[in-house]
Each structure stands twice: as structure tokens, then as C-alpha cells.
Amino acid sequence: SFFTQAHADRLQAFADQAGLAISNARLFQTVEAAKQEWEASFDAMHDAVVLVDHDQRIMRANLAFAKLVHKDIRHLIFQDLRTTLSDMTCPHQVCNIEQSYDTGQQARCVHHMGEHTYEVLVTPVLPDTAEVLAEIAQAIFIIRDVTEARRAAEEIQRRNQELALLNRIIAASAASQDIESTLETVCRELAQFFRVPQSAAAVFDEEKTKATVVA
């Protein structure tokens, strides 16, 4: 026979290699598809997301982050995150974000930039071989604009406080027999509500030409 066992072995080896190559190609296509899908989702996020190394140099950022800092993504790679976000300030003397690098724990803090308020969440990433916190390899920052949500919450709180004040004044007026006692209570409540030393109430005469302080 023209084909020997050696030929058969070589053909089998070639078939095995070809099968492995096809499997690797399919695996590569699957990985690439997953990578593209992940990158599309990453850039579609409304929150600004940025991945930094242990020196807080930017390794990856999404479109929302580039829009936040008004820069092209290509010009952000390897830039210092603290410099890039220099206009974003923390109202606290000691920022929780900075402490997360010492503790290795996830931290959250509210920062301000211009007229906007942002909630910043940082998650340190420790390599599997890390034995000390100083070996933090990367950190993921998620920056969310909470300006409108905070304004809405503050407005609800203000209205609740005003309603509570009105209820106290109504209760005081119902319990009092004279206008002076009611106004005395009103002045005290208003001073506490607006956090001022005192307030006063005056009553006009019938001609509205003279006002007399009664409380």
C-alpha cells in the first residue's frame, strides 16, 4: 500500500492540529465578541467610569468620563487622575477616597465641581498575590452626577420642615386666647426655623400708619 502507518500517524497529527486551530479560532472569536460587547456596554454607561493603576494613572476610561472632563479618551491614558479631576473638590478635610488606598476597602464620598454634585465610589483592586495593602494594583472609580437628586431631596426636606412649622403655629394659635401669646409662639418658632437670634411681630393700627411691636 502507498500509505503506511507513518503516513496515517502524520495525517492524524495534522488533523489534531487543524482541529485545535479551529477550536482556538472559535474561542478567539468568542472572546473578541465578548470583549467588544463589554466595551460597548462600558462606553454606554451613563456614569463616568475610570480604571487607574496604583499611582492613580488612568488605564481605561469610558465616554462618560471623557465628557465629564472635556477631553478625548485617547489623551486620557496614563494621565494622573487627581490632575485630571483637579476642579472636583471634596468638602471634607480628610477624603474617604484617599483613605481607601490605606485601608484597601471600598469608599464613597460626595464631591463638587462647578454647580454640580457628584457621588464618587472607589473600589481598590488587590492582586491575588498581595500580602500588604501597599500592593494595591488598580482601583475602579465610578462618578455619578447626583445634583438633581440632591436638590429634589433638599426640596422635600425643606417642604417637610415648613409643614412641621405651620402645624406647630396652628397648634399654638388654637391653644392661645389672645393674639399676643400666639405671635410670641410664632416669633419663637420662626427664630428657631431660620436659625436667627430673634424675630419680632408688629400689629398695625386701623389706619395702617403706625405699627406696634407686640411679640
Side-chain angles (χ1 to χ4, degrees):
S1 175
F2 178 78
F3 288 102
T4 64
Q5 184 60 43
H7 291 125
D9 292 342
R10 290 174 184 174
L11 286 172
Q12 183 62 51
F14 176 78
D16 292 342
Q17 291 295 326
L20 181 60
I22 292 173
S23 297
N24 288 339
R26 289 174 177 172
L27 178 61
F28 177 78
Q29 290 177 350
T30 302
V31 171
E32 281 297 305
K35 178 182 177 183
Q36 292 176 7
E37 183 178 349
W38 180 86
E39 290 182 348
S41 301
F42 183 66
D43 283 330
M45 294 178 67
H46 293 292
D47 295 337
V49 183
V50 59
L51 174 68
V52 301
D53 64 10
H54 64 282
D55 291 323
Q56 293 197 29
R57 290 188 302 251
I58 298 172
M59 301 174 63
R60 181 77 168 85
N62 67 350
L63 292 176
F65 182 82
K67 183 179 180 181
L68 173 67
V69 297
H70 306 290
K71 291 185 178 181
D72 190 295
I73 288 181
R74 295 170 297 178
H75 300 154
L76 289 172
I77 305 303
F78 300 126
Q79 296 299 309
D80 184 83
L81 180 65
R82 289 161 293 196
T83 302
T84 305
L85 293 177
S86 59
D87 293 334
M88 186 174 288
T89 58
C90 177
H92 307 292
Q93 190 171 11
V94 179
C95 182
N96 294 336
I97 302 300
E98 295 298 329
Q99 288 184 317
S100 68
Y101 273 80
D102 297 327
T103 63
Q105 300 296 316
Q106 187 180 75
R108 190 187 307 267
C109 194
V110 174
H111 288 198
H112 301 286
M113 186 165 64
E115 297 181 354
H116 288 260
T117 302
Y118 295 91
E119 183 181 68
V120 183
L121 174 69
V122 59
T123 304
V125 179
L126 287 168
D128 295 336
T129 57
E131 296 181 358
V132 295
L133 294 178
E135 293 181 5
I136 289 176
Q138 300 173 350
I140 302 171
F141 284 76
I142 301 177
I143 305 171
R144 173 173 296 176
D145 191 335
V146 295
T147 306
E148 294 303 322
R150 287 231 159 191
R151 286 175 180 171
E154 290 171 357
E155 179 65 16
I156 292 174
Q157 182 181 17
R158 184 184 66 81
R159 291 185 179 182
N160 288 338
Q161 290 174 341
E162 290 176 353
L163 182 60
L165 171 64
L166 181 60
N167 288 337
R168 290 196 298 270
I169 291 175
I170 292 174
S173 63
S176 300
Q177 299 296 323
D178 58 273
I179 185 73
E180 287 81 4
S181 297
T182 300
L183 290 177
E184 190 72 35
T185 301
V186 170
C187 288
R188 183 172 59 254
E189 291 288 349
L190 288 175
Q192 293 177 355
F193 182 80
F194 290 107
R195 298 180 181 179
V196 294
Q198 62 181 6
S199 64
V203 176
F204 282 97
D205 59 11
E206 293 183 358
E207 291 76 19
K208 296 184 179 181
T209 59
K210 181 180 179 182
T212 303
V213 176
V214 295

